[in-house]
Amino acid sequence: MSIPDEHKRYSYADYLTWDDAERMEIIGGEVVDMSPAPSRKHQQILRDLSTAFANFLRDKTCEVFFAPFDVRLAEENKRDDEINNVVQPDLTVVCDETKLDNSGCNGVPDMIAEITSPSSVKQDRWTKYKLYEKTGVKEYWLVDPENQSVEVHILTGEQYQFQGVFTKEDTIAVHVLPGLALDLSQLFM
């Protein structure tokens, strides 16, 4: 199967049959195309974020992963054909190793960061925001390369609480990883 029919509902079982050359996600059973490829600035920010997280997490129980990395947002013990939310966040932090398998993360990660682009901003700011909030992702960052800012949301109960917008003059403490603080002047050079 090359490109799925946009009017059909899909599951992770369907997703596994698709052409690897096409980067797609499934949200609520609907296919979301992830092209075009990210910009150079997007990739630089992702590289630097991933490096900062990986260096901090060395010798710790949590792990960091960067796209493409499949995150199946489903309750435990769901069959592949019952999972209808599969995303590839730019950065994913998982602190429960039982959620990790050879296919990625099967369950809700502790933190997700999405790096916005003109083609993804609506998806990241609304569709994924609501999905991550609903499924219980504890911390969600929206990284905006254009405005050199990071918007932080922390899950309190069942809703995200807006923590603020941070710019290159700021340092952000990572809520789910006590002790990790990122100097944004190093991210937005």
Side-chain angles (χ1 to χ4, degrees):
M1 175 177 214
S2 58
I3 298 177
D5 178 352
E6 64 183 51
H7 302 293
K8 184 181 172 196
R9 307 241 350 119
Y10 291 95
S11 70
Y12 182 62
D14 298 312
Y15 176 91
L16 292 172
T17 67
W18 299 340
D19 184 354
D20 287 343
E22 301 288 334
R23 285 194 58 218
M24 290 179 256
E25 297 176 314
I26 303 172
I27 298 178
E30 295 181 17
V31 176
V32 178
D33 185 4
M34 294 181 62
S35 56
S39 71
R40 187 179 107 220
K41 185 65 178 168
H42 176 287
Q43 294 302 87
Q44 289 170 329
I45 290 170
L46 180 55
R47 176 198 63 213
D48 293 346
L49 263 179
S50 299
T51 299
F53 276 79
N55 287 339
F56 178 80
L57 291 173
R58 194 161 284 141
D59 302 322
K60 294 189 174 51
T61 57
C62 299
E63 290 190 61
V64 63
F65 302 93
F66 53 91
F69 178 76
D70 287 345
V71 175
R72 290 160 281 156
L73 292 167
E75 298 168 16
E76 290 183 40
N77 302 319
K78 289 271 188 179
R79 294 187 327 260
D80 288 351
D81 64 343
E82 296 175 312
I83 298 171
N84 62 4
N85 292 304
V86 183
V87 293
Q88 291 186 352
D90 290 308
L91 184 120
T92 304
V93 175
V94 181
C95 295
D96 179 353
E97 68 181 32
T98 65
K99 294 179 180 179
L100 298 171
D101 59 25
N102 286 335
S103 298
C105 178
N106 187 8
V108 180
D110 295 84
M111 178 185 176
I112 286 177
E114 295 284 6
I115 302 170
T116 63
S117 66
S119 65
S120 74
V121 71
K122 183 177 180 183
Q123 198 72 9
D124 295 335
R125 288 184 115 356
W126 182 249
T127 308
K128 287 185 175 182
Y129 175 97
K130 298 307 273 176
L131 175 65
Y132 297 157
E133 180 181 57
K134 177 182 167 191
T135 57
V137 176
K138 296 174 192 167
E139 187 164 355
Y140 181 41
W141 287 15
L142 286 156
V143 181
D144 183 343
E146 198 65 32
N147 293 307
Q148 296 188 331
S149 65
V150 178
E151 187 175 305
V152 177
H153 301 272
I154 304 295
L155 193 66
T156 305
E158 295 181 2
Q159 292 188 319
Y160 279 134
Q161 298 299 312
F162 175 67
Q163 303 298 301
V165 175
F166 303 88
T167 62
K168 77 189 281 186
E169 295 81 28
D170 298 315
T171 297
I172 301 180
V174 181
H175 181 75
V176 298
L177 299 173
L180 177 57
L182 299 176
D183 177 353
L184 294 184
S185 69
Q186 299 300 306
L187 189 63
F188 299 120
M189 292 193 261

